[in-house]
Amino acid sequence: MLRYKFWIETDSGINILGEGKWKLLKAIRDTGSLKAAFEKMGYTYRQTWENLKSIEEKLGFKLIEKHRGGESGGQTILTPKGERFIELFDKLYTEAEPDIQKHFDNMMNELNEIIE
């Protein structure tokens, strides 16, 4: 079985965003709530908030907008740039996966020839 992950880091190797934060942003988008998203992911509020702020600082733009109060108790939404960012990450996985799987299958076939 093949497992792999993509992540984005700075030129100096500092992690900016990986699969977990990408899924968190998708959960924020899907639920409209930071609280629901971090609970779904098993994160704490503080950890989540600090991570999101750190990512935004490293990227140089906001990913989320919080709207307080109101009848529904407020909401958290992705900014247009945040939406685009996760769309690009989605596209990376969608477009890369068939090629990665093909190379893995070829490698496994060659390994099987060695084993036999």
Side-chain angles (χ1 to χ4, degrees):
M1 171 181 267
L2 172 66
R3 295 181 192 260
Y4 61 91
K5 293 182 181 184
F6 294 114
W7 64 92
I8 298 170
E9 59 185 39
T10 65
D11 289 340
S12 58
I14 297 170
N15 187 345
I16 296 175
L17 185 130
E19 190 171 287
K21 304 306 180 300
W22 166 58
K23 289 179 178 178
L24 173 67
L25 290 170
K26 289 173 77 160
I28 291 170
R29 179 199 60 199
D30 295 344
T31 64
S33 166
L34 181 61
K35 183 177 190 270
F38 73 72
E39 287 176 349
K40 178 180 180 181
M41 299 296 297
Y43 299 156
T44 65
Y45 176 84
R46 183 176 180 171
Q47 172 191 23
T48 302
W49 187 247
E50 288 175 1
N51 283 334
L52 288 171
K53 290 291 132 200
S54 175
I55 293 166
E56 289 178 339
E57 287 174 18
K58 290 172 187 167
L59 291 173
F61 58 86
K62 293 218 172 268
L63 294 168
I64 62 169
E65 292 177 358
K66 289 183 74 167
H67 300 277
R68 297 183 186 263
E71 287 183 28
S72 62
Q75 64 177 348
T76 302
I77 61 171
L78 296 181
T79 64
K81 286 183 179 182
E83 286 280 355
R84 185 69 179 129
F85 197 77
I86 63 167
E87 286 172 9
L88 292 170
F89 225 74
D90 286 343
K91 184 178 177 182
L92 174 64
Y93 272 89
T94 301
E95 292 182 358
E97 185 154 353
D99 286 337
I100 292 171
Q101 188 64 51
K102 182 181 105 186
H103 290 294
F104 177 74
D105 291 344
N106 289 341
M107 182 189 76
M108 292 305 296
N109 288 335
E110 289 184 35
L111 283 173
N112 285 332
E113 288 175 11
I114 294 170
I115 294 170
E116 294 175 355

